[in-house]
Amino acid sequence: MKINKINYLVSVKSKQESTLACKSGVDFIDIKDPSKGALGVAKIETVTEIVKNVKKIGFSGLISTTYEDTKSRKSDAEREVFFKYLLSGIDLLKIGITNSHLSCENFFNYFNKSLIEEIKKNAKIKDKKFLVPVLLTSKNFNFSILRKILTSHIFDLYYGLMIDTNIKDNGSLFDLFTKKEIIEIKKLCVEKKLNFGIAGSLKSSDISLVKEINPTWVGFRGGVCKKGRTGELCTKKIIAIKLAIS
């Protein structure tokens, strides 16, 4: 199996944390509010502040943020909010899909014809692959949902696909999936020439398994905090995992 570089993503919640993560050598900066759940959406003001800060520092990696789930919100006001996030200077927009067909359909319905037309009309993003569906699961993985996502009408918008745990108290990604299962998910993405990321309460002790799977990127939050995922980042832990991945 060909081994590629694994990009190291760290989720940050503030300008100060983004500075710390940049100086610790991470590859991707992910902006979120961990107090609001697995993909807690940060305020747009926080997103723009962090984007401005990391670009001023000279960060050359990718910047991602999360956007709320897509439960049929189609008002003009909500659409305006969507574009504020998308045009905030980020590279990737992550949207969670839970392990259900309803959540999957909500996701597809949100990206309807009119929204796609608006995206294609915007010179800044019309040819950009920015979307990262994040499959959030806390039990048996539904491969039929994955296949729907990989054959959808918005495939051209995808930068990649990610799997993560939905309920952080239920254990890590490797408590819910075997290495074989994750590699099978990765294989389906690779066949579609999609990038593939993993996250989910990962710790330094998981790095050997991560390296065997060899995803495009691996994400950390709780595992690089001083005390719990809502606490402050720990420089020592970030650097230790950076060295272990390298």
Side-chain angles (χ1 to χ4, degrees):
M1 182 177 69
K2 182 180 179 182
I3 304 298
N4 299 304
K5 175 190 174 182
I6 300 172
N7 291 286
Y8 180 23
L9 177 152
V10 167
S11 295
V12 304
K13 64 180 181 180
S14 66
K15 176 182 175 181
Q16 292 74 19
E17 285 195 351
S18 69
T19 298
L20 187 155
C22 286
K23 292 183 176 179
S24 299
V26 306
D27 301 300
F28 291 8
I29 293 283
D30 178 53
I31 306 165
K32 69 167 60 168
D33 182 347
S35 70
K36 294 180 179 177
L39 290 183
V41 180
K43 292 180 179 178
I44 186 61
E45 295 81 7
T46 302
V47 174
T48 53
E49 180 184 42
I50 292 174
V51 168
K52 190 179 294 185
N53 181 56
V54 299
K55 289 188 175 181
K56 184 179 180 180
I57 291 170
F59 179 67
S60 59
L62 296 182
I63 306 167
S64 65
T65 195
T66 57
Y67 189 69
E68 292 190 59
D69 61 11
T70 49
K71 293 177 184 173
S72 304
R73 290 188 294 273
K74 298 177 182 177
S75 70
D76 290 341
E78 193 281 328
R79 189 63 58 83
E80 186 179 335
V81 172
F82 171 82
F83 276 99
K84 281 184 179 179
Y85 278 87
L86 187 54
L87 299 171
S88 63
I90 60 158
D91 300 292
L92 307 175
L93 192 67
K94 295 160 54 184
I95 296 180
I97 302 172
T98 59
N99 201 30
S100 75
H101 287 282
L102 177 60
S103 180
C104 188
E105 289 306 314
N106 284 336
F107 174 71
F108 293 146
N109 291 339
Y110 185 82
F111 285 91
N112 56 26
K113 185 178 179 181
S114 65
L115 178 58
I116 293 171
E117 285 176 353
E118 282 187 63
I119 291 169
K120 296 300 182 183
K121 286 177 184 175
N122 192 300
K124 292 182 179 179
I125 54 173
K126 66 176 183 177
D127 298 317
K128 188 175 179 180
K129 293 182 180 294
F130 64 85
L131 192 58
V132 179
V134 181
L135 296 177
L136 297 166
T137 187
S138 56
K139 52 184 177 181
N140 295 333
F141 188 78
N142 193 327
F143 274 88
S144 66
I145 291 175
L146 173 60
R147 290 186 176 91
K148 276 188 178 182
I149 292 168
L150 295 179
T151 55
S152 82
H153 66 288
I154 56 172
F155 182 85
D156 288 346
L157 300 179
Y158 295 166
Y159 169 81
L161 181 136
M162 188 172 188
I163 57 171
D164 196 352
T165 53
N166 193 19
I167 303 171
K168 297 305 176 182
D169 292 339
N170 281 4
S172 77
L173 186 73
F174 295 122
D175 292 320
L176 300 174
F177 294 93
T178 65
K179 182 181 78 170
K180 182 179 178 182
E181 287 171 328
I182 297 173
I183 288 174
E184 180 60 25
I185 297 167
K186 175 189 170 182
K187 182 182 175 184
L188 291 172
C189 292
V190 170
E191 287 173 356
K192 289 286 191 175
K193 296 182 170 55
L194 273 185
N195 296 302
F196 174 65
I198 62 173
S201 300
L202 299 176
K203 306 175 290 296
S204 56
S205 57
D206 295 317
I207 296 301
S208 59
L209 262 178
V210 170
K211 292 173 85 168
E212 289 177 41
I213 293 164
N214 192 223
T216 313
W217 77 92
V218 58
F220 285 83
R221 174 64 199 181
V224 290
C225 285
K226 292 176 182 177
K227 190 175 181 181
R229 66 190 305 272
T230 59
E232 300 300 318
L233 290 179
C234 174
T235 304
K236 185 177 179 181
K237 288 182 179 180
I238 295 174
I239 293 172
I241 287 179
K242 170 75 176 177
L243 293 173
I245 291 173
S246 301

